[in-house]
Structure formats: structure tokens, C-alpha cells
Amino acid sequence: MIKHPSRHCSVELQALPSRIGQVRRIVSAQLRYWHLDPLIDRAALGVTELLTNVHRHAQPDKNCTVEIELQLDRLTVSVRDHDPRLPVVEDGTEIAPMATCGRGLAMVAAVSESWGVRPHDDGKVVWFTLPAPTAAPKSARPQRRTAEPAPRRIAEPEPATAGAPTPAHATAGAPATAHATAAVPGAAHAPARSAVAS
């Protein structure tokens, strides 16, 4: 049975050699899903050692629960079994130098940040922690430069010659055209006439 709400996953199993390999794959896949790939090897090695201990030593049965939990910057891996006897850490002198198993908690201690054992109901929980890598800050994207519109040049209307009519379309802000400012020939030099008849 597998439960995996957000950052927690637990697997209940019998600690048999055939099942230990399956749990390794489940733990590896879950850490990959959480983007914790750098922790896969150490977590898989640690959980293998803990399950091997259950297989070899736990009484009265081999039923256990593996839990992995991510909290902030720490991953905790634990194995709970039904044997209340606390494990003994081997000093390593009785283990053959080339042995691939049997190092138990000495191996767990070597690959983890911390580890421990605590009583639990009718059994115990053996756990270890690994520091979770912090997410690298996202590289700052260069700011997109938007092309600014070219400034509009508004032609200043040329000053109209005295007496020249201002065209209706030559309003403020509208570009003046050459024909809009043309003066009436000779208008500047024509003598002013009085509207009153003399």
C-alpha cells in the first residue's frame, strides 16, 4: 500500500529480499518526482540497510513501514517494525572488508546527516536524515526592451503673411503644408484701404 500526499510517502511491506529491491525503486522514483535526484543514492542505500536489518533481526514478523518525508531543507527516511528491541551498532571489526551487506547502522550513519531510534507502540522506528539541496535561484532574465515609438515631429506652421487667410485645416498641432502658408502675391505691399469712402 502506497500513500503519497504532497511531501510524504509511506510503503507497507514484508521485509523480504525481493521486496527490498522494489522499495529501493519506489524511494528513488519518489525522490526523482520531488526533484531530489542528488539524494537518491544515499537514501536508497540507507533504506536498504534498514530493511535488511528488519529482514535479519526483527521478531515476531517482518512486516514494516517505510516512510520518506520532506520538510523544508531536510529529508527524513524511517523504517518502523514490530520488534521493540533496539538495534546494536556494529563496530565494524567483525565485518569482512569486502562485504556488501551487514554494515547496518554504521553504513546509515556514514551516508546520513543524522540518525536515531525511538520506541513506537509495539515496536520501534529507525530513521535517518539527509540535507535537501536548496533550489538554485532562477537566473535573472534580461529585461525585454520594447522599441519605443519614434518621436513624432510636428512641423511648426510657418507664420502667415499679414492679411493672408489661415486655411481651415491648418489647426494647432497639425503639420503645415506648403500650400497652406502661401501668401497672396503682392498682399504685403498693397496699401491699406479704408472701408469708409472718402
Side-chain angles (χ1 to χ4, degrees), residues 133-164:
T134 54
K138 292 182 180 177
S139 58
R141 289 184 177 180
Q143 292 183 351
R144 281 181 71 186
R145 295 186 67 189
T146 55
E148 294 181 9
R152 290 181 57 194
R153 294 191 60 170
I154 300 175
E156 293 289 327
E158 295 178 15
T161 311

Side-chain angles (χ1 to χ4, degrees), residues 2-11 23-34 36 39-40 42-44 46-47 50 65-71 74-80 126-130:
I2 302 173
K3 304 172 189 172
H4 45 85
S6 64
R7 296 293 181 169
H8 179 266
C9 176
S10 66
V11 183
V23 173
R24 275 179 69 103
R25 288 190 290 276
I26 290 170
V27 168
S28 299
Q30 188 65 50
L31 294 184
R32 224 172 267 116
Y33 178 72
W34 289 345
L36 295 174
L39 303 183
I40 290 174
R42 289 185 291 162
V47 79
L50 296 185
T65 302
V66 174
E67 293 188 357
I68 56 176
E69 186 174 12
L70 180 62
Q71 293 181 335
R74 182 166 289 106
L75 179 77
T76 302
V77 180
S78 62
V79 175
R80 182 174 73 242
V126 185
W127 56 268
F128 65 91
T129 65
L130 297 170

Side-chain angles (χ1 to χ4, degrees), residues 84-140:
R85 297 175 299 159
L86 300 183
V88 177
V89 181
E90 301 284 347
D91 63 2
T93 57
E94 299 175 13
I95 302 171
M98 301 303 286
T100 57
C101 64
R103 298 180 190 277
L105 291 176
M107 180 66 77
V108 171
V111 300
S112 66
E113 180 181 58
S114 61
W115 70 276
V117 183
R118 67 177 183 270
H120 180 79
D121 297 340
D122 59 343
K124 66 180 177 298
V125 176
V126 185
W127 56 268
F128 65 91
T129 65
L130 297 170
T134 54
K138 292 182 180 177
S139 58

